[in-house]
Amino acid sequence: MRLIVSNRSGTPIYEQIKSQIKEAIFSGELIEDEMLPSIRQLARDLQISVITTTRAYNDLEAEGFIYSVQGKGNFVLPRSKELARENALHKIEVGLMTTIELAKVNDVSEKEIIERIKILWEEGNEQSVTV
Amino acid sequence: MRKLGAFLRLELKTIAEQTTPLYIALYLIALLLFVLTTQSVWMGVVVGILSAVTLVNYLFHVSEKNNMDALYPLLGLSRKDVVCGRCIFGFLLTVVVVTIVSFASFLLVAALDAMLPGLREMAEIDFSVPYASQLLFLLTTVVVTMGVLQLPIYFKMGYSRAKNIAIIIPSIIVLIFAGFMGFVMGANSVGDKLAAVNAFLDSPVFIVMCIAVLVFAALVSYRLSLKFYQSRDF
Amino acid sequence: MSSQSQSKALEIRSLRKSYEGFTLDNISFDVPNGYITGFIGPNGAGKTTTIKLLLDIAMADSGSVRVFGEEKSIYLNNQIGVVTDEPPFADFWSCDDLESVLSAFYDRWDKLAFDSHLKRFEIDRKKAIKELSRGMKVKLMIAVALSHDAKILVLDEPTSGLDPVARDEICTLLGDFICDEKHSVLFSTHITSDLEKIADYVVFILDGRLIFNGSKEELIENFVHIKGGRDELSVEQRALVIGIREHGTGFAGMASISDIEKLPNTAVYDPITLDEMIIYFNKELKNNA
């Protein structure tokens, strides 16, 4: 698993850790029951405070992504389809918002956008068929 | 006192640069020559005591230079432990030096006897010259008392500031004593008053008095040292 | 009382000390067990004094210290490993000499550990301490501190004068030290970039007084860096900016998160670093003097 944190991004570090772990879970890179690095080990490796990693893991546990076993460590919970879908929907919305704003600024109508979506969706299907 | 042995070893290691086998050997040779020339073992002992006092001063010097007063608390030694330990160290050091000097002098005399019989009479190295021994005893008392009284000054002010002051008090005492000795020595032939002084010197009261002064000085020195060192910050 | 069950390695209460020209006033904070507590403040703020008081190297006028819940006596100092910038050892001693002295005092002296630390730091056992470079002297003190089973490590400005590589090594070492959650670190420094990374808690003192005591995140999240144009602030708003610095083309300062709503939203708000915080707090003190 690849975990990189940046001091310079606007997001708090514990948020960065959380979203990267969630991504890894959604993409299947982290599988069910896989063990995560310990809170202290992670803090050492990333050279950040133990409190930060503790907070990230606590949040992830509260949100249902991981579970902890006393004395053993933290593990990945089975991927919930609904959560994955929700996550994807959220991303789609963000992308759509960007598209819509761009359209409005450049006088592209709603109808044109929907047309484009239909065309690109078909092309996407054809590509996956030929592959 | 906890860890006394460990502390004594620490003190010894602190003056290690001045107590290398070479220095000790050279010092002993010089001292023995001194005994030879003054023809008095006791004078050698007095010089030995002065050397022990100097070594203790040197101990203060090295430990201050290296900020070891900050080390002692880290090792779990309280202020009282340090004062107590250093006083015991000084005492033991003096005892050891005196023992070595006496023993070495004995050996010197025995060796001279064995190698050059008859030389001893010539040299007249003696262990008790009747009249002068009381004065030597007084001298010893003065030297030891002076050494003991220096301690609180060093504990209070640290080596660099103490050494200037600490030289004044002993110098005054020694000057007074030298004057007294000169006066007494040269006054052998002068009148009754001095006979009383001589009589006093011969009496056991004199010895008791010297010891009392010594003990009193030691107690005062210890109490003052404790008080001064207790309130210092390093 | 086992050290595992104690959540506080050190509890410092109301330490007070007056020197001529400087007073350390009513300093109280905890060093939580299992974490790294950074002790920050500009030079002369009283960090070294506080550490000396807690180790009984200097005598406090009043106050108390507890070590794992126990009232501190001088004998508890052997549970604490100390690193300062100048080793208080006779400079003509070699590491061998040093070990023979220390092992007599520390009941739990670990010969093997000391040896392996010396090897790792590449310190020559036979060399006199005065011949070691500054960085090596600090590493020697660290080696000693790690070799008598100390549960708490107290470091006073160990990294000033060290190059970034050495500083990074020390930070890594400290991270390892607290890994088993039974050891704690109090790390005093005016080089805050070291703590930005590894500190869990922060104690911030200025001019002999405690300014902040809490988790590093809490500290950093509670303040922002605010910058704006010269005339952007009203009089009331200006008073809310801590350590305000005004110049030809604008102003810069620090503000508490809770005050942001009262401040102009035309100003620029950025996250703030520990270094900048110290500077602004210090400036605020000077401005008010």
Side-chain angles (χ1 to χ4, degrees), chain A residues 51-93:
Chain A
I51 296 180
T52 308
T53 53
T54 307
R55 189 170 172 186
Y57 276 31
N58 284 347
D59 281 1
L60 285 171
E61 193 174 4
E63 289 168 32
F65 286 92
I66 67 176
Y67 66 96
S68 66
V69 178
Q70 177 74 300
K72 289 240 163 92
N74 297 281
F75 303 85
V76 179
L77 269 177
R79 231 176 74 186
S80 146
K81 287 245 162 59
E82 299 89 55
L83 271 176
R85 196 162 186 277
E86 247 181 70
N87 187 52
L89 268 172
H90 177 70
K91 289 218 179 87
I92 290 171
E93 263 185 39

Side-chain angles (χ1 to χ4, degrees), chain B residues 2-3 6-7 9-10 13-14 17 62 66-68 70-71 73-77 79 230 232-234, chain C residues 17 19 52 55-59 74-75 77 82 88-93 97 100-102 104-107:
Chain B
R2 280 163 101 253
K3 298 290 183 183
F7 184 64
R9 276 183 67 199
L10 168 54
K13 266 208 131 66
T14 307
E17 273 193 321
V62 174
N66 292 292
N67 198 24
M68 288 168 75
L71 173 64
L74 296 185
L75 298 175
L77 295 164
R79 303 278 198 229
Q230 199 80 6
R232 279 185 72 192
D233 299 316
F234 299 114
Chain C
K17 175 74 177 175
Y19 286 113
K52 284 187 177 173
L55 294 169
D56 285 317
I57 293 176
M59 304 313 242
I74 193 94
Y75 308 115
N77 270 352
V82 179
F89 311 134
D91 60 6
F92 57 86
W93 285 348
D97 293 323
S100 77
V101 167
L102 297 176
F105 282 99
Y106 289 126
D107 299 322

Side-chain angles (χ1 to χ4, degrees), chain B residues 36 108-124:
Chain B
L36 258 178
L108 174 68
V109 169
L112 282 176
D113 266 352
M115 293 189 307
L116 306 154
L119 184 66
R120 192 177 174 212
E121 279 134 38
M122 277 173 50
E124 284 177 35

Side-chain angles (χ1 to χ4, degrees), chain B residues 66-116:
Chain B
N66 292 292
N67 198 24
M68 288 168 75
D69 293 302
L71 173 64
Y72 305 137
L74 296 185
L75 298 175
L77 295 164
S78 68
R79 303 278 198 229
K80 182 165 181 207
D81 290 335
V82 175
V83 171
C84 217
R86 187 155 292 174
C87 289
I88 291 176
F89 180 75
F91 174 71
L92 287 176
L93 188 64
T94 310
V95 165
V96 165
V97 168
V98 167
T99 309
I100 290 180
V101 169
S102 312
F103 192 61
S105 306
F106 266 117
L107 286 179
L108 174 68
V109 169
L112 282 176
D113 266 352
M115 293 189 307
L116 306 154

Side-chain angles (χ1 to χ4, degrees), chain B residues 139-228:
Chain B
L139 177 63
T140 313
T141 308
V142 166
V143 166
V144 177
T145 304
M146 170 203 96
V148 155
L149 286 177
Q150 269 192 328
L151 285 173
I153 304 177
Y154 278 94
F155 273 117
K156 185 173 183 25
M157 301 169 70
Y159 179 79
S160 35
R161 283 163 64 199
K163 68 174 183 222
N164 301 318
I165 300 185
I167 201 74
I168 298 177
I169 299 178
S171 304
I172 295 177
I173 295 178
V174 169
L175 279 170
I176 294 177
F177 180 75
F180 173 70
M181 253 189 113
F183 177 66
V184 167
M185 297 278 232
N188 247 332
S189 51
V190 181
D192 287 320
K193 279 188 192 160
L194 298 156
V197 172
N198 289 350
F200 176 69
L201 288 179
D202 275 332
S203 70
V205 176
F206 170 68
I207 295 184
V208 170
M209 198 188 79
C210 281
I211 295 179
V213 165
L214 197 55
V215 169
F216 179 70
L219 282 171
V220 166
S221 164
Y222 179 68
R223 294 292 299 277
L224 280 178
S225 297
L226 264 182
K227 182 158 173 282
F228 290 154

Side-chain angles (χ1 to χ4, degrees), chain A residues 9 12 14 40-41 44 47-52 54-55, chain C residues 34-35 168 175-176 178-179 181 197 199-201 217 221:
Chain A
S9 98
Y14 75 93
R40 283 178 179 265
Q41 185 62 39
R44 245 191 84 226
Q47 293 206 311
I48 56 178
S49 157
V50 167
I51 296 180
T52 308
T54 307
R55 189 170 172 186
Chain C
Y35 294 96
D168 189 58
D176 290 343
I178 59 158
C179 235
E181 301 181 48
K197 296 186 292 187
D200 302 312
Y201 292 91
E217 292 198 337
E221 282 167 19

Side-chain angles (χ1 to χ4, degrees), chain B residues 31-61:
Chain B
L31 198 56
L32 289 175
L33 284 171
F34 178 73
V35 168
L36 258 178
T37 47
T38 58
Q39 298 156 19
S40 162
V41 174
W42 209 321
M43 281 304 283
V45 164
V46 169
V47 169
I49 295 176
L50 276 170
S51 313
V53 170
T54 310
L55 262 183
V56 172
N57 292 350
Y58 178 68
L59 176 55
F60 275 97
H61 174 45

Side-chain angles (χ1 to χ4, degrees), chain C residues 230-251:
Chain C
R230 280 228 64 154
D231 303 310
E232 252 178 79
L233 297 171
S234 69
V235 176
E236 300 88 29
Q237 287 172 330
R238 197 173 173 286
L240 292 174
V241 178
I242 301 168
I244 189 164
R245 186 168 69 86
E246 284 160 315
H247 51 87
T249 52
F251 75 89

